Amino acid sequence: MSRHGVPVHLSTSYYPAYVSAVAPELSDPVSTGGSRELAAERLGSEQKEVIQEVSARPATQEEKSALGLSGDPVYVLQTMRTVTLTDDRVVEVAVRVASSSTVVRWVTDLRPGGE
């Protein structure tokens, strides 16, 4: 993923075979977003939860090169996202790797009904 020609993060999504069977277009190398919504719709179940786990670790040589990072050591933030449906099937596990200077931010609507 790049912004204004500058690499921002690397992202890879993994799908179980039952998701690939109903949504083969998710195997395309470039995502336009909406994969978990598409999988849920095609599997006939609503999304239940998204778990995001963030950790820091040393960057691989490939990550340093792809993200334009230099120095030694160089650390990256890795975010692992797991999406499940209301029937407890996992529809996606995604791994995103970004420079350690990246700000990770979540907003959770605490109003009743998420209004």
Side-chain angles (χ1 to χ4, degrees):
M1 173 70 155
S2 298
R3 285 194 189 114
H4 309 292
V6 177
V8 178
H9 70 260
L10 309 173
S11 184
T12 305
S13 291
Y14 302 91
Y15 304 99
Y18 54 84
V19 171
S20 297
V22 299
E25 61 269 40
L26 294 179
S27 65
D28 292 343
V30 177
S31 173
T32 58
S35 59
R36 64 182 190 248
E37 292 85 357
L38 177 64
E41 177 185 319
R42 300 251 178 103
L43 290 168
S45 183
E46 293 184 17
Q47 296 177 69
K48 176 182 172 183
E49 67 183 1
V50 177
I51 300 169
Q52 300 203 64
E53 301 169 283
V54 180
S55 59
R57 62 169 176 76
T60 66
Q61 265 318 117
E62 293 82 11
E63 291 165 344
K64 287 169 65 171
S65 177
L67 293 170
L69 305 173
S70 60
D72 202 24
V74 172
Y75 290 88
V76 291
L77 290 178
Q78 176 176 289
T79 304
M80 185 180 322
R81 179 181 72 199
T82 303
V83 181
T84 59
L85 301 177
T86 55
D87 61 12
D88 291 327
R89 287 183 287 179
V90 172
V91 293
E92 178 186 32
V93 173
V95 178
R96 177 182 288 179
V97 176
S99 148
S100 61
S101 64
T102 299
V103 174
V104 179
R105 179 178 183 227
W106 284 274
V107 176
T108 303
D109 191 338
L110 299 176
R111 294 174 289 175
E115 299 174 11

